[in-house]
Amino acid sequence: MQQAVARLAPVLPLLTDLGACFARAGHELALVGGPVRDAFLGRTPPDLDFTTSASPDETEAILRAWGSATWDLGRDFGTIGAVRRSGGVETTVEVTTYRADAYDGVTRKPVVAFGESLEGDLVRRDFTVNAMAMRLPSLEFVDPYGGLADLEAGVLRTPSAPEVSFGDDPLRMMRAVRFVAQLGLVPAPEVYAAMQAMGGSLDIVSAERVRDELVKLLMAREPRAGLELLTDSGLAAHVLPELPALKLEVDEHHRHKDVYDHSLIVLDQAIALEGPADAPAESVPGPDLVLRLAALLHDIGKPATRRFEPAGGVSFHHHEVVGAKMTAKRLKALRFDKDTVKAVSRLVELHLRFHGYGDGQWTDSAVRRYVTDAGPLLPRLHRLTRADCTTRNSRKAQRLSRTYDELERRIDVLLEREELAAVRPELDGNEIASVLGISPGPVLGRAYKYLLSVRMDEGPIGKEAAADRLRTWWADQPESR
């Protein structure tokens, strides 16, 4: 307990001061949930969440006198926010009235009922490790459901029966998966059994809420354990069905590797290739959601494209193209933003491109196209491609690494020499129109694309040579006659 209080030392004056303000007004106040859990884990809590016996209106009045500004975070749900600025330091708090929610079982919207006690509020929390509190200003530790013991044992339990807890809000099953990844906890047998039995209830939870939990899971330091629980418990079938579908039955001759396990290894290796959080963009500072999604989903087109060949082999022709379409469809269903959908699906589509490089026989034109097709995704494509090598054959792995090193060196040379990141035809639209004597329209667009292909194939040739090429091309077009 003393160590947890010591971890809260930077905010302890604020905690006791705020607690005293509520006490003087005749109300209870307690620090609750994640901040208390994190203090026992030796972490400095990033947020401060409180619960109180005061009504929302009473809370607002107290916070208005205590802080610099207040706002309504959800008065109907009992939550009021405030910020206090003192000595150049700004602290934000959220205070929620004791709750005793029930859910309607259809829309997942809570029917709000304010509670009467701290213990009653804690029992409605998702897990025991989040059902610990510290009364203020006395700093009395409150743990009616054994959260600290579960935290020390590394076990994830619910304060009430898991069937009741998950029935109240099925999204708590996704939170369980996330806490496995973030905190290294293991679900208790009864929690795991309830997840297996009740996974279908996730179908009534909004896609946005599911997406947010999935993102938090993927952005954990080591998300693999959470993803394995997501799959093994059956939840993935309702959230990301393409993931368990990767568990292809390996034929007796083992003619292809376990695609599911391979994908998790690729994710692990991609994470290891991320740069530090403060690294420049070209180093892909982690955690990077786009890279992690692409690594996890890069092979989801394989089940649909698997073919056993007459000669005894197995093929997955065009799985990258099929996978890109599947990726876009799934991410749209989960309500990811357009930029994320576009970036992840593009990486999935491009992830095999390097394997056409062979032993380095690509022309400069092919290298230019690799760079321009990837565009701003190139740093991520580098890491995805390297992470996709999971062979246990060390000689093959070293050869692939050396070959990609060579490709990156060629890219660097061309980038420096030709500014490929902003490659354009050597004549702009106005110049093309002037050379050909045409007006803006579809023909001008075709002429632009032709000159762009010349630029890609041959590199810079100069404006005069580009104009000559354009005239030669124009002579063969029906519009020129």
Side-chain angles (χ1 to χ4, degrees):
M1 181 63 187
Q2 290 180 342
Q3 291 180 343
V5 172
R7 181 59 59 175
L8 293 168
V11 294
L12 207 54
L14 178 146
L15 297 179
T16 53
D17 180 49
L18 184 59
C21 291
F22 275 79
R24 284 194 295 270
H27 301 294
E28 298 177 353
L29 182 74
L31 183 69
V32 68
V36 179
R37 179 201 69 215
D38 287 347
F40 280 107
L41 288 173
R43 304 174 181 177
T44 300
D47 303 302
L48 296 176
D49 296 324
F50 301 87
T51 189
T52 181
S53 61
S55 70
D57 289 343
E58 292 168 331
T59 296
E60 185 176 39
I62 296 169
L63 291 178
R64 188 181 295 117
W66 172 83
S68 305
T70 64
W71 57 91
D72 188 341
L73 282 168
R75 185 180 301 272
D76 290 343
F77 296 96
T79 303
I80 304 296
V83 62
R84 187 180 197 183
R85 302 178 184 91
S86 177
V89 177
E90 183 175 290
T91 304
T92 300
V93 301
E94 295 181 9
V95 182
T96 302
T97 301
Y98 292 158
R99 293 268 291 273
D101 295 344
Y103 292 79
D104 61 17
V106 178
T107 65
R108 308 317 315 140
K109 293 181 180 178
V111 179
V112 177
F114 295 133
E116 298 179 352
S117 69
L118 176 58
E119 288 75 8
D121 178 90
L122 295 177
V123 76
R124 57 163 290 276
R125 306 244 162 200
D126 52 6
F127 300 103
T128 61
V129 296
N130 293 329
M132 300 183 288
M134 186 178 293
R135 293 187 187 274
L136 301 173
S138 66
L139 303 182
E140 175 193 351
F141 179 54
V142 181
D143 183 19
Y145 305 106
L148 183 56
D150 286 343
L151 193 63
E152 291 175 343
V155 176
L156 198 62
R157 299 184 191 274
T158 52
S160 56
E163 294 80 9
V164 173
S165 182
F166 298 157
D168 282 347
D169 186 359
L171 192 70
R172 289 173 174 172
M173 292 183 284
M174 286 293 295
R175 292 198 195 110
V177 171
R178 188 209 339 152
F179 289 134
V180 166
Q182 290 181 332
L183 305 177
L185 304 177
V186 176
E190 67 274 14
V191 170
Y192 184 77
M195 293 170 67
Q196 288 182 304
M198 302 178 67
S201 60
L202 277 171
D203 294 340
I204 64 175
V205 180
S206 71
E208 290 83 358
R209 295 181 73 208
V210 172
R211 174 205 61 209
D212 290 347
E213 284 299 327
L214 181 62
V215 168
K216 291 174 183 177
L217 162 62
L218 286 171
M219 298 294 270
R221 181 177 297 179
E222 297 179 353
R224 179 169 182 158
L227 291 167
E228 290 175 334
L229 175 60
L230 187 73
T231 301
D232 296 343
S233 65
L235 297 185
H238 306 278
V239 175
L240 195 64
E242 295 80 5
L243 184 59
L246 293 175
K247 288 193 170 187
L248 296 175
E249 180 181 351
V250 179
D251 63 282
E252 67 272 21
H253 302 295
H254 299 282
R255 288 174 291 187
H256 64 84
K257 64 183 70 176
D258 182 339
V259 184
Y260 170 77
D261 188 58
H262 163 77
S263 297
L264 295 182
I265 294 173
V266 172
L267 174 61
D268 289 340
Q269 295 184 166
I271 292 172
L273 292 172
E274 291 175 337
D278 57 353
E282 58 269 22
S283 296
V284 189
D288 187 89
L289 179 63
V290 169
L291 176 61
R292 294 184 180 202
L293 280 168
L296 181 64
L297 303 177
H298 75 285
D299 273 347
I300 64 170
K302 279 190 170 181
T305 58
R306 182 172 66 159
R307 298 291 182 272
F308 291 105
E309 304 297 344
V314 63
S315 66
F316 303 95
H317 293 312
H318 305 302
H319 77 267
E320 74 281 12
V321 177
V322 173
K325 293 177 180 178
M326 292 174 64
T327 294
K329 182 177 180 180
R330 176 53 53 195
L331 296 185
K332 287 177 182 176
L334 287 168
R335 304 292 191 270
F336 277 90
D337 63 274
K338 291 181 179 180
D339 289 342
T340 299
V341 173
K342 183 178 179 181
V344 177
S345 57
R346 184 60 167 161
L347 284 171
V348 171
E349 182 181 2
L350 292 174
H351 84 272
L352 279 185
R353 184 75 65 86
F354 160 71
H355 294 283
Y357 189 67
D359 293 320
Q361 61 268 56
W362 273 5
T363 62
D364 282 354
S365 171
V367 176
R368 291 188 193 98
R369 291 184 185 278
Y370 187 79
V371 173
T372 54
D373 286 351
L377 295 172
L378 185 62
R380 292 186 176 103
L381 182 58
H382 285 333
R383 284 155 180 79
L384 176 59
T385 301
R386 289 185 180 277
D388 195 23
C389 175
T390 61
T391 178
R392 295 179 181 178
N393 185 323
S394 60
R395 183 175 298 178
K396 181 179 179 182
Q398 291 172 3
R399 177 177 59 79
L400 287 170
S401 180
R402 287 194 301 269
T403 304
Y404 204 84
D405 288 343
E406 174 57 27
L407 175 58
E408 287 203 57
R409 281 192 290 269
R410 290 184 64 189
I411 288 172
D412 289 342
V413 170
L414 286 172
L415 282 172
E416 183 176 358
R417 190 172 71 201
E418 302 181 14
E419 298 183 355
L420 286 183
V423 65
R424 298 287 187 276
E426 292 183 87
L427 301 179
D428 63 24
N430 291 330
E431 290 169 325
I432 292 172
S434 177
V435 169
L436 300 183
I438 60 175
S439 301
V443 176
L444 180 59
R446 291 198 343 251
Y448 183 94
K449 288 182 179 178
Y450 167 73
L451 278 188
L452 180 59
S453 68
V454 171
R455 172 70 174 80
M456 296 290 293
D457 290 339
E458 304 180 36
I461 60 175
K463 286 183 177 290
E464 185 175 338
D468 288 341
R469 292 294 187 84
L470 186 61
R471 295 187 188 97
T472 300
W473 171 84
W474 180 240
D476 292 331
Q477 304 307 303
E479 293 87 350
S480 68
R481 302 187 182 93

